[in-house]
Amino acid sequence: MKHFKKYTFLIVLVTMKISAQHAILPLWPNKIPNQKETDEKEDATFNDDGILWITNVQEPTIEVYLPTKKTATGQAVLIFPGGGYYGLAYDWEGTDIAKAFNAKGIAGIVVKYRLPWSKSITSNKNIVPLQDAQRAIRMVRQNAGEWNISPNKIGIMGFSAGGHLASTLGTHYNEKVYDRQDDIDDLSARPDFMALVYPVITLGAVSTHSGSRKSLVGDNPTQEQIDYLSNEKHVDKNTPTTFLVHAADDDGVSVENSILFFRALREEGVSAAMHIYPKGGHGFSLALHDPVLRNWINLFFEWVEQLD
């Protein structure tokens, strides 16, 4: 068991602009769907690896990092950190990635989404992350003009369980999973492109990540529940173009997850790129200390640059 040291002063979530380039905004200014008031508290701690780990998310937000207007490409990427749907590796697979995007003129928006483990969630735990994901991309579209973002150049990136959420958004964007709250909810939730990094894709067969599956659908799910969130089963010709990265020796989330999704995209004629590295394990993020693996982010930048 890893030991955690709490730093209560590290994250202060505010609902106003911090600067022209950085803001933290609540997803649900009116009523958070599927949520009740409890004594549960959100927790932000550093683990033994120095990663900021957030659990018991109570108020989902987007944290917006914008490049300077002069360098902005008009592209934006919403980032979904991983953590098995139990927690969020918030800096390692979130804010660190957003800052890397800014250096290339891309807006990076980190989504702090709710987790099915939370006791404040009342029902339909399996769709709560998708509710937050749909709302998040709609909010970015709503603010695209102010943030120097093109509304048709908004993509998503997810890591591990965050990759499952990203692929869920990319295949279930048209589904109504919450009641309309304002004009933002009239906008499209379809991503223009997706990047999935060592993603959980399926909840079925031997390829599934048991922690993510248990978090989403419990110990004894029905086949219908498994199939609904096995996202390789929901790819169609309108699924966004996708970039996939995985390590063949990943013993946390099998590389078969990326292969399943790539095959499904190919069968539907959807453009896709997949990069499988022989070594890297799981949870490597930017892999800055690996001279081979760290190039994945440059391959992504090259790929996203050539998108229409």
Side-chain angles (χ1 to χ4, degrees), residues 130-146:
L130 178 59
Q131 290 175 328
D132 291 347
Q134 284 191 0
R135 176 72 180 186
I137 194 167
R138 287 172 171 142
M139 279 188 66
V140 175
R141 284 212 161 90
Q142 174 75 14
N143 289 283
E146 182 181 350

Side-chain angles (χ1 to χ4, degrees), residues 152-199:
N152 62 350
K153 292 184 178 181
I154 300 172
I156 58 177
M157 176 178 285
F159 296 79
S160 193
H164 182 267
L165 178 53
S167 66
T168 303
L169 178 59
T171 53
H172 297 266
Y173 57 85
N174 256 341
E175 295 180 20
K176 183 179 180 181
V177 294
Y178 64 87
D179 292 333
R180 181 186 186 275
Q181 291 201 5
D182 51 33
D183 291 347
I184 292 173
D185 293 324
D186 296 330
L187 299 174
S188 172
R190 182 185 182 275
D192 294 300
F193 56 88
M194 292 195 291
L196 309 176
V197 187
Y198 41 87

Side-chain angles (χ1 to χ4, degrees), residues 32-154:
I32 302 175
N34 262 1
Q35 185 150 310
K36 63 182 178 181
E37 289 188 14
T38 68
D39 59 356
E40 189 173 51
K41 303 296 183 183
E42 187 168 305
D43 190 53
T45 61
F46 277 143
N47 67 14
D48 289 347
D49 294 322
I51 296 172
L52 185 58
W53 181 251
I54 298 179
T55 57
N56 298 328
V57 173
Q58 298 299 298
E59 184 177 352
T61 62
I62 53 173
E63 183 163 1
V64 182
Y65 288 84
L66 300 178
T68 61
K69 187 174 182 179
K70 186 174 181 179
T71 61
T73 65
Q75 292 173 319
V77 179
L78 284 82
I79 304 158
F80 300 95
Y85 283 117
Y86 174 76
L88 301 176
Y90 193 77
D91 52 358
W92 183 245
E93 295 172 344
T95 55
D96 287 355
I97 309 301
K99 293 169 187 176
F101 286 165
N102 279 185
K104 291 291 186 178
I106 301 170
I109 296 100
V110 184
V111 184
K112 181 166 70 75
Y113 56 92
R114 288 172 295 158
L115 303 157
W117 280 91
S118 173
K119 64 183 180 181
S120 64
I121 295 171
T122 57
S123 61
N124 297 324
K125 293 176 181 286
N126 61 317
I127 65 166
V128 165
L130 178 59
Q131 290 175 328
D132 291 347
Q134 284 191 0
R135 176 72 180 186
I137 194 167
R138 287 172 171 142
M139 279 188 66
V140 175
R141 284 212 161 90
Q142 174 75 14
N143 289 283
E146 182 181 350
W147 294 346
N148 298 311
I149 294 169
S150 173
N152 62 350
K153 292 184 178 181
I154 300 172

Side-chain angles (χ1 to χ4, degrees), residues 97 100-101 104 157 159 197 243 245 277 285-286 288 293-304:
I97 309 301
F101 286 165
K104 291 291 186 178
M157 176 178 285
F159 296 79
V197 187
F243 178 95
V245 178
Y277 290 83
S285 184
L286 290 170
L288 295 180
L293 190 55
R294 68 188 180 195
N295 192 51
W296 79 260
I297 192 70
N298 293 320
L299 294 174
F300 169 75
F301 288 140
E302 291 173 1
W303 177 81
V304 80

Side-chain angles (χ1 to χ4, degrees), residues 83-85 160-161 199-215 250-254 257 282:
Y85 283 117
S160 193
V200 178
I201 294 294
T202 187
L203 298 190
V206 295
S207 297
T208 191
H209 180 248
S210 59
S212 297
R213 170 170 159 160
K214 183 177 180 180
S215 296
D250 189 333
D251 58 4
V253 175
S254 168
N257 282 270
H282 188 70

